[in-house]
């Protein structure tokens, strides 16, 4: 079974820094994300990038949540799923 990478959008309060919500992004690949953020997947297991205004146009069509950078702090996380041992 190949390793799968989950790509997740998380959003937080600007003031309190509490997690408000998260949404898995199904239709973008890790290659797409690396291209959007112009960054390497440096450790191969987990990576997180802050969503900036220049990223919104590339990410918004792939999520149901309306991105509002003036109201929330957004992060894209990539997490490699590990198989569960039997």
């Amino acid at each position: 079974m190949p390793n799968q990478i989950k790509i997740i959008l998380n959003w937080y309060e600007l003031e309190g820094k509490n997690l408000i919500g998260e949404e898995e992004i199904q239709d973008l690949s890790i290659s797409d994300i690396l291209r959007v953020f112009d960054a390497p997947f440096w450790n191969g297991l987990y990576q997180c990038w802050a969503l900036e205004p220049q990223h919104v146009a590339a990410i918004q069509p792939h999520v149901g949540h309306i991105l509002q950078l003036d109201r929330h702090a957004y992060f894209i996380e990539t997490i490699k799923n590990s198989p569960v041992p039997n």
Side-chain angles (χ1 to χ4, degrees):
M1 166 197 245
N3 290 324
Q4 293 187 2
I5 296 176
K6 275 186 168 182
I7 301 171
I8 301 169
L9 171 70
N10 291 315
W11 55 98
Y12 295 81
E13 297 173 328
L14 284 178
E15 295 298 318
K17 307 294 183 195
N18 292 314
L19 177 66
I20 296 172
E22 66 179 28
E23 178 179 342
E24 187 171 351
I25 302 173
Q26 300 284 336
D27 62 344
L28 287 177
S29 69
I30 188 63
S31 296
D32 296 329
I33 294 296
L34 296 177
R35 197 170 20 262
V36 168
F37 288 94
D38 192 28
F41 189 39
W42 61 269
N43 69 8
L45 181 63
Y46 171 83
Q47 186 66 45
C48 181
W49 298 275
L51 198 66
E52 302 291 338
Q54 68 268 24
H55 306 127
V56 172
I59 300 299
Q60 183 63 78
H62 304 282
V63 296
H65 175 77
I66 303 300
L67 300 170
Q68 299 172 322
L69 296 178
D70 60 328
R71 297 187 61 187
H72 303 106
Y74 295 94
F75 296 90
I76 299 286
E77 293 183 286
T78 56
I79 303 167
K80 184 185 283 186
N81 290 332
S82 299
V84 177
N86 295 333

